[in-house]
Structure formats: structure tokens, C-alpha cells
Amino acid sequence: MQPFVVIIPARQASTRLPGKMLADLAGTPMVVRVAQRAAASDAAEVLIATDDLHIAQVVQSFGYRALMTRIDHPSGTDRLAETVEQLNLPPEAIVVNVQGDEPLIDPALINQVASLLAQHPTAAMATCAAPITDATHFFNPNIVKVVCDKAGRALYFSRAPIPWDRDALASGSQLLSAETPALHHIGLYAYRVHFLKSFPSLSRGILESIESLEQLRALEHGYSIAVHPTEAHPGAGVDTEADLVRVRQVLSTKALKSGKAPQ
């Protein structure tokens, strides 16, 4: 397997849950717990890219490497672009972006996304998706859907229910046919370094602006995105106080079952 690096973007500002990167999860700050999960993958290195000195200091106190980045990055991808410049990584190196608010991320999924990109030399990015079996999820605009071609490359990402089953949904009902290949996009990305470096210079496309989905910028500029299919739905990330409570409950339940402190 081609070596890869995990970079966790961790900005201090958060509109819905201020300070969430250092939110306590069973005695461990959230971003550190994410780093621990990433370190359980096959990554050659795990580091945190942040705009906040306190986050950097906390991360370093747990033994992880932190790099300071500018405060004005509009997205996590832009933050990663600055980070790979600092690291001086070779153009074909693979970097996996693990969000700092995903404390339940599966290390195996990190490996799979990195491996997929290594297997597709013409792809600039790789990501993953899981089947949607619940109609409420299919019609939920907060759950991003993706449709792929026969080679497993993304054709389009949308907040809308795609693909639209014309016959099954003709009556206006919100049903999900068993034959509909509906996929829930999971926001885990692997990039080639040369693409990451060019990303900030790409103009924001109309589709990205309408859908508010950053990955559409790559498609609009003609880049290929490979999609890894997985049956496993990772635990949702932390965006709200309710999400924080839910993750704490998950960790507590796991600890009770194992008889150990939450991992």
C-alpha cells in the first residue's frame, strides 16, 4: 500500500458549537480523540493543522504534531493546501483529510480511501459512500447524495434526492425504491498533493455555490473523484450540543461493554 499522511484540519471558530475541537469526550479533547482514531490506521503520520495556538498546545501535550496555519482559510481543503506546502510533500504523495469533529471515524475506512486513490492514478481525489435504505435520509437535504459512473467515479453530489426515480416518485410520494442506487456521501477525502496545491486557485463554481458542496468545485473543473463503496455508516460528526451528547453516550456505552475506559 502506498504510504499516506493524515491531516486533521482544526479551526477554532465554529458557528454552531464554539470551541468544539477541545470539547471533552471522556477525558480527552475531541480533536485528540480523532487523532487517536486516525493513528490506528496505516497512516505514516498523523498531524493537526490549526489556526489556534491553544489547540496546537493541547494536541502537542498528547504527543501529536501540530502545524499552525492562517486564520482566513475558507475551507478545510484550503487549510490542507497550506499544510502540504509547509511539509514539502512530493506531488504524487497521498494525504487523507479527516475532519476534526469525527471522533467515531473508522481507521479501516481511512485506509480504504487512501488505497482507492493509490489504485486510481488518474483521480485527483477519493472519497466514500454508503447505501441509503431510509427514505427520510434520501429526502433530507443535510445528507449529501452521490451518483457514480460504472467505474466508480463521482458524476455528481447533491443535497437533493438523486437519482430521481421518475416512475416510483411520480405520485409525489417520498418513498425509496429498493432498486434505487441511492448513496450517502461520507465526508472523508484522500487527495494527491499536486491537486491540493492547485485547489485554492480554482474558481468557485456555480454548482458549488448553489449546493454549498466544496467537492463540486473539483468536478466542475474536470477533476476525477473515485468513490469507495462501503456498507458501514460511520457515526455522525459533531456539529451541535446534541451531537456532543450523543457521542458521549456512544463512548460511555462502549466503555461499559468493554469494562474499560472509553477509547
Side-chain angles (χ1 to χ4, degrees):
M1 181 175 179
Q2 180 178 341
F4 65 93
V5 173
V6 169
I7 301 178
I8 303 169
R11 69 188 183 101
Q12 172 61 18
S14 174
T15 304
R16 287 185 284 181
L17 189 59
K20 70 177 180 178
M21 286 296 138
L22 297 180
D24 182 86
L25 294 179
T28 303
M30 181 163 61
V31 68
V32 174
R33 189 167 287 279
V34 174
Q36 291 171 341
R37 298 296 291 168
S41 74
D42 294 331
E45 183 177 12
V46 175
L47 57 93
I48 290 80
T50 185
D51 58 4
D52 183 80
L53 183 58
H54 184 47
I55 290 176
Q57 291 171 337
V58 169
V59 163
Q60 289 165 347
S61 73
F62 279 84
Y64 291 96
R65 184 180 178 188
L67 289 179
M68 295 300 300
T69 60
R70 301 199 318 268
I71 198 170
D72 59 345
H73 287 302
S75 73
T77 310
D78 292 281
R79 195 174 307 284
L80 261 67
E82 180 189 350
T83 306
V84 297
E85 290 281 5
Q86 293 186 43
L87 294 172
N88 196 30
L89 296 174
E92 293 301 323
I94 292 176
V95 170
V96 178
N97 178 355
V98 177
Q99 298 299 319
D101 56 6
E102 298 280 351
L104 303 179
I105 190 70
D106 183 358
L109 197 57
I110 297 173
N111 291 339
Q112 289 160 359
V113 170
S115 177
L116 180 66
L117 186 57
Q119 295 167 24
H120 288 74
T122 61
M125 299 170 54
T127 188
C128 47
I132 297 176
T133 57
D134 187 327
T136 60
H137 292 172
F138 188 53
F139 288 91
N140 183 348
N142 293 317
I143 292 178
V144 177
K145 276 69 68 174
V146 58
V147 289
C148 302
D149 66 13
K150 290 184 179 296
R153 294 169 300 205
L155 290 170
Y156 191 63
F157 298 86
S158 182
R159 298 184 183 279
I162 57 172
W164 183 262
D165 191 328
R166 185 193 64 177
D167 296 334
L169 301 173
S171 65
S173 59
Q174 292 196 348
L175 300 174
L176 181 59
S177 167
E179 289 73 39
T180 302
L183 293 174
H184 176 184
H185 174 235
I186 300 166
L188 176 68
Y189 298 99
Y191 308 91
R192 296 190 191 283
V193 164
H194 64 77
F195 170 75
L196 262 178
K197 289 183 176 180
S198 67
F199 183 84
S201 65
L202 299 177
S203 59
R204 183 178 171 90
I206 183 64
L207 298 176
E208 177 189 2
S209 299
I210 291 172
E211 295 261 19
S212 191
L213 294 175
E214 182 184 297
Q215 63 270 35
L216 288 175
R217 189 184 315 178
L219 293 184
E220 289 187 84
H221 283 273
Y223 289 96
S224 176
I225 302 177
V227 181
H228 170 71
T230 177
E231 294 296 322
H233 287 259
V238 177
D239 289 319
T240 66
E241 190 67 38
D243 292 335
L244 199 56
V245 171
R246 172 183 49 76
V247 170
R248 285 169 175 159
Q249 290 173 339
V250 169
L251 294 174
S252 177
T253 300
K254 286 183 177 180
L256 289 172
K257 288 181 178 180
S258 66
K260 301 176 181 178
Q263 297 297 314

PDB file of all heavy atoms in Angstrom, residues 136-158:
ATOM      1  N   THR A 136     -36.379   8.788   4.666  1.00  0.00           N
ATOM      2  CA  THR A 136     -36.208  10.096   5.307  1.00  0.00           C
ATOM      3  C   THR A 136     -34.798  10.620   5.092  1.00  0.00           C
ATOM      4  O   THR A 136     -34.590  11.831   4.987  1.00  0.00           O
ATOM      5  CB  THR A 136     -36.509  10.017   6.818  1.00  0.00           C
ATOM      6  OG1 THR A 136     -35.622   9.078   7.441  1.00  0.00           O
ATOM      7  CG2 THR A 136     -37.949   9.576   7.054  1.00  0.00           C
ATOM      8  N   HIS A 137     -33.822   9.729   5.028  1.00  0.00           N
ATOM      9  CA  HIS A 137     -32.445  10.141   4.748  1.00  0.00           C
ATOM     10  C   HIS A 137     -32.301  10.571   3.294  1.00  0.00           C
ATOM     11  O   HIS A 137     -31.588  11.530   2.987  1.00  0.00           O
ATOM     12  CB  HIS A 137     -31.478   9.000   5.055  1.00  0.00           C
ATOM     13  CG  HIS A 137     -31.375   8.670   6.508  1.00  0.00           C
ATOM     14  ND1 HIS A 137     -30.685   7.577   6.985  1.00  0.00           N
ATOM     15  CD2 HIS A 137     -31.893   9.291   7.600  1.00  0.00           C
ATOM     16  CE1 HIS A 137     -30.775   7.545   8.307  1.00  0.00           C
ATOM     17  NE2 HIS A 137     -31.499   8.572   8.695  1.00  0.00           N
ATOM     18  N   PHE A 138     -32.966   9.856   2.411  1.00  0.00           N
ATOM     19  CA  PHE A 138     -32.883  10.153   0.985  1.00  0.00           C
ATOM     20  C   PHE A 138     -33.401  11.558   0.677  1.00  0.00           C
ATOM     21  O   PHE A 138     -32.859  12.267  -0.175  1.00  0.00           O
ATOM     22  CB  PHE A 138     -33.678   9.112   0.205  1.00  0.00           C
ATOM     23  CG  PHE A 138     -33.528   9.188  -1.291  1.00  0.00           C
ATOM     24  CD1 PHE A 138     -32.271   9.191  -1.886  1.00  0.00           C
ATOM     25  CD2 PHE A 138     -34.643   9.230  -2.110  1.00  0.00           C
ATOM     26  CE1 PHE A 138     -32.132   9.248  -3.268  1.00  0.00           C
ATOM     27  CE2 PHE A 138     -34.511   9.276  -3.488  1.00  0.00           C
ATOM     28  CZ  PHE A 138     -33.261   9.290  -4.063  1.00  0.00           C
ATOM     29  N   PHE A 139     -34.435  11.981   1.388  1.00  0.00           N
ATOM     30  CA  PHE A 139     -35.040  13.287   1.129  1.00  0.00           C
ATOM     31  C   PHE A 139     -34.533  14.379   2.073  1.00  0.00           C
ATOM     32  O   PHE A 139     -34.980  15.520   2.004  1.00  0.00           O
ATOM     33  CB  PHE A 139     -36.572  13.187   1.213  1.00  0.00           C
ATOM     34  CG  PHE A 139     -37.181  12.446   0.061  1.00  0.00           C
ATOM     35  CD1 PHE A 139     -37.384  11.082   0.134  1.00  0.00           C
ATOM     36  CD2 PHE A 139     -37.517  13.104  -1.111  1.00  0.00           C
ATOM     37  CE1 PHE A 139     -37.924  10.386  -0.943  1.00  0.00           C
ATOM     38  CE2 PHE A 139     -38.051  12.422  -2.191  1.00  0.00           C
ATOM     39  CZ  PHE A 139     -38.261  11.052  -2.102  1.00  0.00           C
ATOM     40  N   ASN A 140     -33.577  14.052   2.926  1.00  0.00           N
ATOM     41  CA  ASN A 140     -33.021  15.019   3.876  1.00  0.00           C
ATOM     42  C   ASN A 140     -31.900  15.811   3.199  1.00  0.00           C
ATOM     43  O   ASN A 140     -30.882  15.243   2.814  1.00  0.00           O
ATOM     44  CB  ASN A 140     -32.471  14.270   5.096  1.00  0.00           C
ATOM     45  CG  ASN A 140     -31.932  15.183   6.168  1.00  0.00           C
ATOM     46  OD1 ASN A 140     -31.740  16.388   5.950  1.00  0.00           O
ATOM     47  ND2 ASN A 140     -31.651  14.638   7.335  1.00  0.00           N
ATOM     48  N   PRO A 141     -32.055  17.136   3.050  1.00  0.00           N
ATOM     49  CA  PRO A 141     -31.024  17.930   2.371  1.00  0.00           C
ATOM     50  C   PRO A 141     -29.714  18.027   3.145  1.00  0.00           C
ATOM     51  O   PRO A 141     -28.691  18.431   2.585  1.00  0.00           O
ATOM     52  CB  PRO A 141     -31.681  19.307   2.228  1.00  0.00           C
ATOM     53  CG  PRO A 141     -32.700  19.362   3.320  1.00  0.00           C
ATOM     54  CD  PRO A 141     -33.216  17.962   3.457  1.00  0.00           C
ATOM     55  N   ASN A 142     -29.714  17.655   4.416  1.00  0.00           N
ATOM     56  CA  ASN A 142     -28.474  17.674   5.190  1.00  0.00           C
ATOM     57  C   ASN A 142     -27.643  16.416   4.961  1.00  0.00           C
ATOM     58  O   ASN A 142     -26.495  16.341   5.412  1.00  0.00           O
ATOM     59  CB  ASN A 142     -28.786  17.816   6.682  1.00  0.00           C
ATOM     60  CG  ASN A 142     -29.400  19.164   7.010  1.00  0.00           C
ATOM     61  OD1 ASN A 142     -28.949  20.185   6.504  1.00  0.00           O
ATOM     62  ND2 ASN A 142     -30.438  19.180   7.820  1.00  0.00           N
ATOM     63  N   ILE A 143     -28.214  15.437   4.301  1.00  0.00           N
ATOM     64  CA  ILE A 143     -27.494  14.220   3.935  1.00  0.00           C
ATOM     65  C   ILE A 143     -27.158  14.316   2.456  1.00  0.00           C
ATOM     66  O   ILE A 143     -28.034  14.363   1.600  1.00  0.00           O
ATOM     67  CB  ILE A 143     -28.329  12.964   4.234  1.00  0.00           C
ATOM     68  CG1 ILE A 143     -28.469  12.799   5.750  1.00  0.00           C
ATOM     69  CG2 ILE A 143     -27.692  11.726   3.612  1.00  0.00           C
ATOM     70  CD1 ILE A 143     -29.302  11.622   6.181  1.00  0.00           C
ATOM     71  N   VAL A 144     -25.876  14.367   2.163  1.00  0.00           N
ATOM     72  CA  VAL A 144     -25.424  14.566   0.783  1.00  0.00           C
ATOM     73  C   VAL A 144     -25.439  13.225   0.040  1.00  0.00           C
ATOM     74  O   VAL A 144     -24.970  12.211   0.557  1.00  0.00           O
ATOM     75  CB  VAL A 144     -24.011  15.182   0.756  1.00  0.00           C
ATOM     76  CG1 VAL A 144     -23.513  15.324  -0.675  1.00  0.00           C
ATOM     77  CG2 VAL A 144     -24.033  16.539   1.452  1.00  0.00           C
ATOM     78  N   LYS A 145     -25.997  13.270  -1.157  1.00  0.00           N
ATOM     79  CA  LYS A 145     -26.056  12.083  -2.010  1.00  0.00           C
ATOM     80  C   LYS A 145     -25.028  12.182  -3.127  1.00  0.00           C
ATOM     81  O   LYS A 145     -24.627  13.278  -3.502  1.00  0.00           O
ATOM     82  CB  LYS A 145     -27.448  11.950  -2.626  1.00  0.00           C
ATOM     83  CG  LYS A 145     -28.476  11.264  -1.726  1.00  0.00           C
ATOM     84  CD  LYS A 145     -28.895  12.066  -0.505  1.00  0.00           C
ATOM     85  CE  LYS A 145     -29.702  13.303  -0.828  1.00  0.00           C
ATOM     86  NZ  LYS A 145     -30.226  14.010   0.372  1.00  0.00           N
ATOM     87  N   VAL A 146     -24.621  11.017  -3.656  1.00  0.00           N
ATOM     88  CA  VAL A 146     -23.680  10.992  -4.771  1.00  0.00           C
ATOM     89  C   VAL A 146     -24.138   9.921  -5.759  1.00  0.00           C
ATOM     90  O   VAL A 146     -24.667   8.875  -5.357  1.00  0.00           O
ATOM     91  CB  VAL A 146     -22.231  10.709  -4.291  1.00  0.00           C
ATOM     92  CG1 VAL A 146     -22.127   9.395  -3.546  1.00  0.00           C
ATOM     93  CG2 VAL A 146     -21.251  10.745  -5.466  1.00  0.00           C
ATOM     94  N   VAL A 147     -23.969  10.202  -7.039  1.00  0.00           N
ATOM     95  CA  VAL A 147     -24.196   9.194  -8.076  1.00  0.00           C
ATOM     96  C   VAL A 147     -22.875   8.978  -8.798  1.00  0.00           C
ATOM     97  O   VAL A 147     -22.092   9.918  -8.983  1.00  0.00           O
ATOM     98  CB  VAL A 147     -25.309   9.608  -9.064  1.00  0.00           C
ATOM     99  CG1 VAL A 147     -26.666   9.541  -8.390  1.00  0.00           C
ATOM    100  CG2 VAL A 147     -25.064  11.000  -9.627  1.00  0.00           C
ATOM    101  N   CYS A 148     -22.626   7.723  -9.206  1.00  0.00           N
ATOM    102  CA  CYS A 148     -21.333   7.359  -9.780  1.00  0.00           C
ATOM    103  C   CYS A 148     -21.492   6.711 -11.151  1.00  0.00           C
ATOM    104  O   CYS A 148     -22.566   6.211 -11.499  1.00  0.00           O
ATOM    105  CB  CYS A 148     -20.614   6.373  -8.860  1.00  0.00           C
ATOM    106  SG  CYS A 148     -20.331   6.979  -7.188  1.00  0.00           S
ATOM    107  N   ASP A 149     -20.411   6.719 -11.918  1.00  0.00           N
ATOM    108  CA  ASP A 149     -20.427   6.016 -13.194  1.00  0.00           C
ATOM    109  C   ASP A 149     -20.054   4.551 -12.957  1.00  0.00           C
ATOM    110  O   ASP A 149     -19.846   4.118 -11.817  1.00  0.00           O
ATOM    111  CB  ASP A 149     -19.494   6.696 -14.205  1.00  0.00           C
ATOM    112  CG  ASP A 149     -18.021   6.623 -13.816  1.00  0.00           C
ATOM    113  OD1 ASP A 149     -17.667   5.852 -12.894  1.00  0.00           O
ATOM    114  OD2 ASP A 149     -17.210   7.339 -14.442  1.00  0.00           O
ATOM    115  N   LYS A 150     -19.975   3.776 -14.046  1.00  0.00           N
ATOM    116  CA  LYS A 150     -19.718   2.347 -13.908  1.00  0.00           C
ATOM    117  C   LYS A 150     -18.326   2.044 -13.366  1.00  0.00           C
ATOM    118  O   LYS A 150     -18.081   0.950 -12.847  1.00  0.00           O
ATOM    119  CB  LYS A 150     -19.918   1.662 -15.267  1.00  0.00           C
ATOM    120  CG  LYS A 150     -21.370   1.607 -15.716  1.00  0.00           C
ATOM    121  CD  LYS A 150     -21.521   0.833 -16.999  1.00  0.00           C
ATOM    122  CE  LYS A 150     -22.981   0.749 -17.432  1.00  0.00           C
ATOM    123  NZ  LYS A 150     -23.806  -0.014 -16.463  1.00  0.00           N
ATOM    124  N   ALA A 151     -17.420   2.998 -13.479  1.00  0.00           N
ATOM    125  CA  ALA A 151     -16.062   2.804 -12.970  1.00  0.00           C
ATOM    126  C   ALA A 151     -15.923   3.243 -11.514  1.00  0.00           C
ATOM    127  O   ALA A 151     -14.829   3.203 -10.953  1.00  0.00           O
ATOM    128  CB  ALA A 151     -15.061   3.563 -13.841  1.00  0.00           C
ATOM    129  N   GLY A 152     -17.036   3.685 -10.907  1.00  0.00           N
ATOM    130  CA  GLY A 152     -16.993   4.104  -9.511  1.00  0.00           C
ATOM    131  C   GLY A 152     -16.483   5.510  -9.310  1.00  0.00           C
ATOM    132  O   GLY A 152     -16.050   5.868  -8.208  1.00  0.00           O
ATOM    133  N   ARG A 153     -16.568   6.353 -10.354  1.00  0.00           N
ATOM    134  CA  ARG A 153     -16.178   7.755 -10.229  1.00  0.00           C
ATOM    135  C   ARG A 153     -17.425   8.610 -10.046  1.00  0.00           C
ATOM    136  O   ARG A 153     -18.478   8.352 -10.643  1.00  0.00           O
ATOM    137  CB  ARG A 153     -15.413   8.203 -11.477  1.00  0.00           C
ATOM    138  CG  ARG A 153     -14.078   7.502 -11.646  1.00  0.00           C
ATOM    139  CD  ARG A 153     -13.487   7.773 -13.004  1.00  0.00           C
ATOM    140  NE  ARG A 153     -14.370   7.302 -14.072  1.00  0.00           N
ATOM    141  CZ  ARG A 153     -13.963   6.976 -15.283  1.00  0.00           C
ATOM    142  NH1 ARG A 153     -12.690   7.089 -15.603  1.00  0.00           N
ATOM    143  NH2 ARG A 153     -14.819   6.560 -16.195  1.00  0.00           N
ATOM    144  N   ALA A 154     -17.304   9.635  -9.233  1.00  0.00           N
ATOM    145  CA  ALA A 154     -18.452  10.500  -8.946  1.00  0.00           C
ATOM    146  C   ALA A 154     -18.895  11.255 -10.192  1.00  0.00           C
ATOM    147  O   ALA A 154     -18.081  11.852 -10.896  1.00  0.00           O
ATOM    148  CB  ALA A 154     -18.097  11.490  -7.844  1.00  0.00           C
ATOM    149  N   LEU A 155     -20.188  11.211 -10.448  1.00  0.00           N
ATOM    150  CA  LEU A 155     -20.777  12.018 -11.507  1.00  0.00           C
ATOM    151  C   LEU A 155     -21.303  13.331 -10.939  1.00  0.00           C
ATOM    152  O   LEU A 155     -21.159  14.381 -11.546  1.00  0.00           O
ATOM    153  CB  LEU A 155     -21.935  11.260 -12.175  1.00  0.00           C
ATOM    154  CG  LEU A 155     -21.559  10.058 -13.030  1.00  0.00           C
ATOM    155  CD1 LEU A 155     -22.814   9.284 -13.421  1.00  0.00           C
ATOM    156  CD2 LEU A 155     -20.814  10.510 -14.279  1.00  0.00           C
ATOM    157  N   TYR A 156     -21.919  13.247  -9.738  1.00  0.00           N
ATOM    158  CA  TYR A 156     -22.470  14.460  -9.127  1.00  0.00           C
ATOM    159  C   TYR A 156     -22.764  14.207  -7.655  1.00  0.00           C
ATOM    160  O   TYR A 156     -23.087  13.089  -7.246  1.00  0.00           O
ATOM    161  CB  TYR A 156     -23.761  14.893  -9.849  1.00  0.00           C
ATOM    162  CG  TYR A 156     -24.235  16.277  -9.457  1.00  0.00           C
ATOM    163  CD1 TYR A 156     -23.439  17.400  -9.720  1.00  0.00           C
ATOM    164  CD2 TYR A 156     -25.445  16.467  -8.805  1.00  0.00           C
ATOM    165  CE1 TYR A 156     -23.849  18.665  -9.344  1.00  0.00           C
ATOM    166  CE2 TYR A 156     -25.870  17.738  -8.426  1.00  0.00           C
ATOM    167  CZ  TYR A 156     -25.065  18.835  -8.696  1.00  0.00           C
ATOM    168  OH  TYR A 156     -25.461  20.095  -8.318  1.00  0.00           O
ATOM    169  N   PHE A 157     -22.632  15.258  -6.874  1.00  0.00           N
ATOM    170  CA  PHE A 157     -23.016  15.273  -5.467  1.00  0.00           C
ATOM    171  C   PHE A 157     -24.165  16.257  -5.309  1.00  0.00           C
ATOM    172  O   PHE A 157     -24.158  17.331  -5.926  1.00  0.00           O
ATOM    173  CB  PHE A 157     -21.857  15.732  -4.577  1.00  0.00           C
ATOM    174  CG  PHE A 157     -20.639  14.852  -4.605  1.00  0.00           C
ATOM    175  CD1 PHE A 157     -19.659  15.026  -5.579  1.00  0.00           C
ATOM    176  CD2 PHE A 157     -20.456  13.861  -3.645  1.00  0.00           C
ATOM    177  CE1 PHE A 157     -18.526  14.232  -5.600  1.00  0.00           C
ATOM    178  CE2 PHE A 157     -19.320  13.061  -3.671  1.00  0.00           C
ATOM    179  CZ  PHE A 157     -18.355  13.250  -4.646  1.00  0.00           C
ATOM    180  N   SER A 158     -25.128  15.933  -4.472  1.00  0.00           N
ATOM    181  CA  SER A 158     -26.249  16.853  -4.297  1.00  0.00           C
ATOM    182  C   SER A 158     -26.921  16.655  -2.948  1.00  0.00           C
ATOM    183  O   SER A 158     -26.886  15.564  -2.357  1.00  0.00           O
ATOM    184  CB  SER A 158     -27.294  16.639  -5.406  1.00  0.00           C
ATOM    185  OG  SER A 158     -28.355  17.564  -5.267  1.00  0.00           O
TER     186      SER A 158
END
